[in-house]
Amino acid sequence: MAMGLHLLQIQFILAILLIFLTTSISSSNTGVTFPIAKPNCSDHCGNVTIPFPFGTKEGCYFNSSFLVTCKDTYYNPPKAFLQNSNIEITNISLDGQFRVLNYISRDCYDQNGTRVLRNDSFIRLTTSFTINNTANKITAIGCDTNAFVYGERLNNNFYRTGCNSWCGNEGELVNGSCSGLGCCQTSIPKEVWTANLTLRSYDNFAYVSYFSNCSYGFLAEECAFNFSPSSLSSLWNVHRLPMVVDWAVGDGTCDKAQNNTSSYACKSMNSKCYKPDNGYGYRCYCQEGYQGNPYLYDGCKDIDECLDPSLNKCEMKCENTPGNFTCVCPKGYHGDGKKEGQGCIRGESLVIKLVAGSAVGVIVLLLGAFCLYLELQRRKLITMKRKFFLQNGGLLLQEQLIRRDKSTDTAKIFTSAELNKATNNFHDNNIIGQGGFGTVYKGFLSDNRIVAIKKSKQVDPNQVEQFINEVIVLSQINHKNVVKLLGCCLETQVPLLVYEFISNGTLFEHINNKTKARALSWDMRLTIATEAAGVLAYLHSAASPPIIHRDIKSANILLDTNFTAKVSDFGASRLVPLDQTQLSTMVQGTFGYLDPEYMQTNQLTDKSDVYSFGVVLLELLTGRKALSFDGPEEERNLASYFLSTLKQSRLFQVLDESILCEGNSEELIAVAMLAKSCLYVKGDDRPGMKEVAMELEGLRISGKHSWTQTELNVEEMESLLSVEMNTYSNGEGNSTGTGYDSMRDHIIPPMGGGR
Ligand SMILES: *[C@@H]1O[C@H](CO)[C@@H](O)[C@H](O)[C@H]1NC(C)=O
Ligand SMILES: *[C@@H]1O[C@H](CO)[C@@H](O)[C@H](O)[C@H]1NC(C)=O
Ligand SMILES: *[C@@H]1O[C@H](CO)[C@@H](O)[C@H](O)[C@H]1NC(C)=O
Ligand SMILES: *[C@@H]1O[C@H](CO)[C@@H](O)[C@H](O)[C@H]1NC(C)=O
Ligand SMILES: *[C@@H]1O[C@H](CO)[C@@H](O)[C@H](O)[C@H]1NC(C)=O
Ligand SMILES: *[C@@H]1O[C@H](CO)[C@@H](O)[C@H](O)[C@H]1NC(C)=O
Ligand SMILES: *[C@@H]1O[C@H](CO)[C@@H](O)[C@H](O)[C@H]1NC(C)=O
Ligand SMILES: *[C@@H]1O[C@H](CO)[C@@H](O)[C@H](O)[C@H]1NC(C)=O
Ligand SMILES: *[C@@H]1O[C@H](CO)[C@@H](O)[C@H](O)[C@H]1NC(C)=O
Ligand SMILES: *[C@@H]1O[C@H](CO)[C@@H](O)[C@H](O)[C@H]1NC(C)=O
Ligand SMILES: *[C@@H]1O[C@H](CO)[C@@H](O)[C@H](O)[C@H]1NC(C)=O
Ligand SMILES: *[C@@H]1O[C@H](CO)[C@@H](O)[C@H](O)[C@H]1NC(C)=O
């Protein structure tokens, strides 16, 4: 970057120097005049200069083809005409072209379709002259128009060409566009020296006479005419347009012409001959370094380049030479004298030293300024990071961390640079999850640990303290079934949380993916439920202060490779002060899992987590989503649907098929009953998380006995099962006979045992 600046500066300085040098030189462009006509010959007619080989009198022109008739009696200023014709010349150039005014053809009709005017143009040059085929175009204007051009080419050849133009109404004509609508254009061949242009109409303007009644056609310099819709009428007042004619002298090749010195037209010293690609003859020009009329004796004059600074590049002194110039340095200087070369340098190249010295000075100054700028930017960035750090409660956290045991696993404060590196600048490819609370990126720390980095949404400044407390408390939770918070970063505008990376996805994914769900056996589900319940029990009773998770759902229970549950996402969690059992908060959570009592009263208690956990149990049991918009309306909310099926004693119809056949109906029923108790509308009626966890743990260890220990209503269960069996035998259910058989086999004995 510094290098780029460096170069830029040098360029800048050079530009300034150049501007200075060029403006300091006065541009004295003296108009050098040289004869262009023969001695005693007129070199102009009115405004038109007439260079030899053209001339207005005998002895003044090359041969009679180059006669220019100057009519000064009829016209003032006088007008020049080619030979004895009525072709007016407006400009003659020594480069081999002259301009004439060529007539416009016209063809007009009245309303009845009768031709009222026809005037075809024709032009006839001599064979010394040809119509320039690149500068000129055949153009026809009109809405019912055919232009036909024909004539002679050199060597007695003929040509015929032309174009058609038509239009239906005035509206479709386009400014500047000459492609067939109201205007058409075509080129002419090379070596043309006569041209007749006739116009015709196909329908005598019958259909367009209400807005157009004439066709126009001309062979003229292309840039002399620009089509616009108004041309249809305005051309009526134009009679002639300029046309470019090429001229050349003699005939044959340059070599041949040079053999006959008396007739060779390039009379001047330092003149040369070339052959144009349009015409019989050849042309002459003055060599480089000379200007003038090459067709005259001594017509090419040396150019004094030293008089015109744009022609020489000398720094101090310029000396003219024939056809060239040299730059010289005065005494005491050395160098080649040219601005772009070494220039003139006095003695020990003082000038170069001066220039170089000042340039280096300026560069150093600019580099210094640039470094200063970089430093300021760096400081600004640091200040900003510091500001975010403070705004995000960094000081508070630091203080807390110091106050606590400095030794072990408390949260680490990561720098933003560390995390940017870990996530490849938070590249989209690293996103592994997106939710209401923020975006989760996968990251690789420099110590090879894989982490999940949660980029939170903007934290409310009023809740900073709370956020810090949560971070601290969570970093203290050392529970094997809680996703471990490794630390956070407070230097960015939004705080970043760094967790251990759990590889096997969420419980939600496993339940709702058919293949994965089949692999998730009942035992595994029970273990996961037990582990999750254990975490909640721990949060509610063992943690100090107690923590309410507030967003328990299957999507927040992660699974590692051994299907060990890891509860995550404490973004919404609340710490419950020890002297309170309930908190008044804004209702927050996920629909389908939300405690109805909490929703009504805004009073958050640990029983809200119990309700949500009950829904997770239902998901494990049924393999359905907590809130589903696929099925019938009554099945939308899993909790109410489940309760209603229980009421109708149809439990086994909603259970997940993949766990039905595992010979565990008593456990299923027990868990279903447990879930039911978790879903009681009144929070006080629900069991505590501790009881739920113990119940599940008991079931897991010895399913057969634990369920009887619960205070389940045995009558209720009996009726449930008998009705189940009736339903199945009536064929109302859609389970298979095998499902029923295996169920009966396993349900009967405990029933008996239960009595
Ligand atoms: C030009 O005309 C003058 C007189 O008008 C005459 O003296 C002179 O010789 C002429 N020069 C040439 C080259 O014909
Ligand atoms: C010709 O010259 C006269 C004055 O000498 C000037 O008014 C006129 O515009 C010029 N015409 C052309 C076509 O250059
Ligand atoms: C004559 O033509 C030359 C070259 O096309 C042009 O530079 C010059 O201005 C023209 N002179 C007049 C009077 O039109
Ligand atoms: C063409 O039409 C215009 C107006 O429509 C009229 O003034 C003009 O006389 C017509 N020209 C001819 C040749 O009929
Ligand atoms: C067109 O024809 C009608 C009758 O044929 C005639 O009265 C009228 O004068 C004609 N118009 C023109 C412009 O010739
Ligand atoms: C026809 O064009 C010639 C030139 O080609 C012109 O002299 C004559 O005046 C034009 N006639 C009419 C009726 O416009
Ligand atoms: C071109 O038109 C003129 C005048 O109408 C005519 O004299 C001449 O023969 C025509 N040229 C050709 C090649 O037909
Ligand atoms: C067509 O071009 C002319 C100038 O060449 C301009 O005055 C006129 O406004 C243009 N018309 C449209 C419709 O662009
Ligand atoms: C004039 O020279 C040209 C060649 O440039 C030639 O074709 C033509 O016949 C000559 N004209 C006269 C009248 O000599
Ligand atoms: C020019 O003349 C020389 C001899 O004078 C001859 O050899 C040569 O062929 C001639 N060149 C041409 C193109 O006629
Ligand atoms: C025709 O005119 C163009 C533009 O004026 C010029 O560049 C070209 O050399 C001319 N063609 C010939 C054969 O002189
Ligand atoms: C002028 O001289 C320079 C060297 O001094 C040379 O390169 C250049 O070609 C010369 N130009 C002409 C027209 O002779």
Side-chain angles (χ1 to χ4, degrees), residues 122 124 150-152 158 194 196:
F122 78 97
R124 188 175 186 88
Y150 60 96
E152 290 165 68
F158 293 87
T194 77
N196 285 21

Side-chain angles (χ1 to χ4, degrees), residues 4-245:
L5 192 84
H6 194 102
L7 289 175
L8 211 73
Q9 286 316 313
I10 292 178
Q11 276 175 10
F12 177 73
I13 289 164
L14 286 181
I16 294 271
L17 285 179
L18 272 179
I19 289 168
F20 174 75
L21 286 173
T22 44
T23 46
S24 64
I25 292 163
S26 62
S27 50
S28 55
N29 203 347
T30 45
V32 192
T33 52
F34 45 83
I36 55 164
K38 283 195 162 183
N40 283 359
C41 289
S42 163
D43 63 359
H44 68 275
C45 173
N47 293 0
V48 185
T49 54
I50 299 171
F52 185 79
F54 293 88
T56 51
K57 294 194 303 241
E58 191 162 358
C60 288
Y61 44 76
F62 177 72
N63 81 10
S64 58
S65 295
F66 292 88
L67 165 66
V68 173
T69 308
C70 190
K71 294 189 177 162
D72 47 7
T73 42
Y74 296 113
Y75 302 105
N76 189 18
K79 287 184 176 179
F81 291 87
L82 183 62
Q83 296 147 5
N84 296 312
S85 71
N86 63 348
I87 304 172
E88 187 183 344
I89 297 177
T90 59
N91 189 0
I92 301 173
S93 128
L94 272 173
D95 297 334
Q97 273 92 38
F98 63 88
R99 272 194 188 78
V100 299
L101 292 175
N102 196 15
Y103 280 92
I104 297 177
S105 302
R106 49 190 76 206
D107 183 28
C108 296
Y109 298 81
D110 69 11
Q111 310 279 321
N112 291 352
T114 314
R115 174 179 269 144
V116 292
L117 172 74
R118 175 173 181 174
N119 203 353
D120 289 342
S121 76
F122 78 97
I123 187 160
R124 188 175 186 88
L125 305 166
T126 62
T127 54
S128 299
F129 308 128
T130 51
I131 297 173
N132 186 304
N133 62 308
T134 54
N136 302 304
K137 284 271 185 303
I138 297 164
T139 308
I141 309 293
C143 283
D144 179 8
T145 302
N146 163 257
F148 177 54
V149 183
Y150 60 96
E152 290 165 68
R153 302 177 63 217
L154 299 179
N155 301 315
N156 298 320
N157 292 321
F158 293 87
Y159 73 98
R160 293 160 174 232
T161 181
C163 70
N164 291 316
S165 147
W166 184 88
C167 79
N169 62 67
E170 212 169 0
E172 59 191 359
L173 305 177
V174 181
N175 237 9
S177 161
C178 197
S179 52
L181 276 181
C183 175
C184 68
Q185 229 166 30
T186 188
S187 309
I188 56 157
K190 275 182 194 168
E191 301 182 343
V192 165
W193 64 282
T194 77
N196 285 21
L197 197 161
T198 65
L199 291 170
R200 294 173 203 164
S201 146
Y202 294 100
D203 299 315
N204 289 5
F205 279 73
Y207 304 113
V208 294
S209 62
Y210 68 97
F211 69 92
S212 158
N213 53 14
C214 287
S215 293
Y216 303 92
F218 43 87
L219 176 50
E221 205 177 355
E222 187 179 9
C223 55
F225 174 76
N226 206 347
F227 178 71
S228 81
S230 63
S231 305
L232 286 184
S233 50
S234 64
L235 272 177
W236 178 254
N237 301 311
V238 184
H239 294 274
R240 295 181 302 177
L241 284 171
M243 181 178 84
V244 178
V245 177

